[in-house]
Each structure stands twice: as structure tokens, then as C-alpha cells.
Amino acid sequence: MHKLAHFCFVSAAVYAFLGMALGITMAASHDHTLTPVHAHLNLLGWVSMAIFGLFYQAAPHIAGRRIARIHVGFATLSIWLLIPGIALANLGMTEGLAIIGSFATILSMGLFVAITLMARKSNVTEK
Ligand code: HEM
Ligand code: HEM
């Protein structure tokens, strides 16, 4: 497996573990205040990171490039900003970190849009 894809899958699995642990805690306590934290940790952490892993495994010519490492690093950073940001917002403390995390998340997705377009172009001579 490509190193970058492996990083994505290990991250995704850790996020899934944490997201499920939070889900079980919410279910057991009947306190659903953090439902959006659980939802986004699972969907941005587990699902999106796993999709990035599949993409980079399918496009190793892009996975080896610096822009791919920048994207995965940025996607990771945005999860680490957005998830605690949503928690703080839902607990009524501050929306600041959620706002910063939201912009980081959409910017990292913008980078991924560019990467998906580049992947086709640079793969054009390959089978
Ligand atoms: C051990 C596994 C899990 C447990 C115990 C669990 C538990 C929960 C609970 C208690 C809620 C709150 C429901 C509510 O507030 O109405 C919830 C919501 C949610 N969960 Fe999980 N969950 C688990 C795994 C997952 C996974 C793997 C995903 C995604 C891949 C996921 C996605 C969601 C989403 C999107 C919501 C929000 C649904 C809505 O807004 O109605 N959950 N979960
Ligand atoms: C910039 C990134 C994102 C931002 C700022 C954002 C923001 C939000 C907000 C404000 C809500 C409403 C929460 C509430 O009712 O309290 C929400 C709900 C939800 N979002 Fe996102 N979202 C983002 C990305 C995503 C992505 C990438 C997915 C799926 C792959 C997703 C799936 C969901 C789902 C399933 C819900 C309903 C779950 C719930 O009730 O908490 N979101 N989102």
C-alpha cells in the first residue's frame, strides 16, 4: 500500500474508533448534545479520510507528489480544528474555532478538487 494511502486509512480507523466511542457514550448517557461532533468525526474523519486513502491508492502517481501530502496534512489539520470547534460551539462556549475549522475544511476540499483534476491529466499516458 502507498505510504500516504496507509496514513489516510490509519487516521480514518482512529477517527472511527473515537467517533464510535463518542456515539456509545452519547447513547449510554442519553445526552445527544454532541451529536454533530459524533456525525462530523465519523463523516469527515472516518468516511472522508478513507475515501482519500482509496483515491491515493488508485492514483499513486499523484500520491507521491508534494501537493498530495499537503492536502492530507491540511485535511488532518482541518479535522483537528473543526471537531473540537463544533464541540465548543455546541457546548455554548465559542463559535470561533468552528468557523476557522469550517474554512480550513472547505479549503482542503478545494485543494482535493484540483488534485482530482490533475490526477486524470497526469495519468493520461498510463493504462
Ligand atoms: C458504535 C457505533 C455508533 C454508535 C453507538 C452511534 C450512536 C449514535 C447516536 C446515539 C446518535 C444520536 C442520534 C440523535 O441525536 O438523534 C448518532 C447520530 C449519528 N451518527 Fe452515529 N453511532 C455510531 C456509529 C456511527 C458511524 C460509523 C457513523 C458514520 C459513518 C455515524 C453517523 C452518525 C450521524 C451522521 C448521526 C447524526 C444523525 C442525525 O442527525 O439524525 N454513527 N449516532
Ligand atoms: C466545512 C465543513 C462542514 C461544516 C461547516 C458543516 C456544518 C454543519 C452544521 C452547522 C450542521 C447542523 C448541525 C446541527 O443541527 O446542530 C451540520 C449537520 C450535518 N452535517 Fe455537516 N458540515 C460540514 C461538512 C460535512 C460533511 C463533509 C458531511 C458528510 C460527509 C456532513 C454531514 C452532516 C450531517 C449528516 C449532518 C446532520 C447531523 C447532525 O444532526 O449533527 N457535514 N453540518
Side-chain angles (χ1 to χ4, degrees):
M1 176 177 278
H2 194 281
K3 210 171 142 188
L4 193 66
H6 185 246
F7 175 85
C8 291
F9 277 115
V10 172
S11 306
V14 171
Y15 294 136
F17 186 87
L18 296 175
M20 288 177 178
L22 178 57
I24 291 170
T25 308
M26 290 178 346
S29 64
H30 300 285
D31 181 353
H32 293 185
T33 313
L34 295 181
T35 293
V37 177
H38 163 79
H40 292 88
L41 182 55
N42 275 314
L43 294 170
L44 281 165
W46 164 230
V47 181
S48 303
M49 282 305 269
I51 291 172
F52 296 147
L54 289 173
F55 174 84
Y56 287 121
Q57 186 60 24
H61 58 295
I62 285 284
R65 291 179 57 173
R66 205 159 80 100
I67 192 164
R69 290 194 296 278
I70 292 173
H71 163 249
V72 172
F74 199 24
T76 300
L77 175 70
S78 54
I79 290 171
W80 290 6
L81 292 172
L82 187 62
I83 300 306
I86 297 174
L88 291 177
N90 271 76
L91 293 170
M93 292 164 88
T94 171
E95 292 190 349
L97 193 60
I99 293 169
I100 295 169
S102 303
F103 280 106
T105 304
I106 196 168
L107 281 176
S108 78
M109 193 51 83
L111 192 54
F112 190 59
V113 170
I115 288 171
T116 55
L117 294 170
M118 282 165 56
R120 180 68 191 99
K121 213 174 175 185
S122 51
N123 200 26
V124 100
T125 53
E126 296 173 23
K127 277 274 176 203

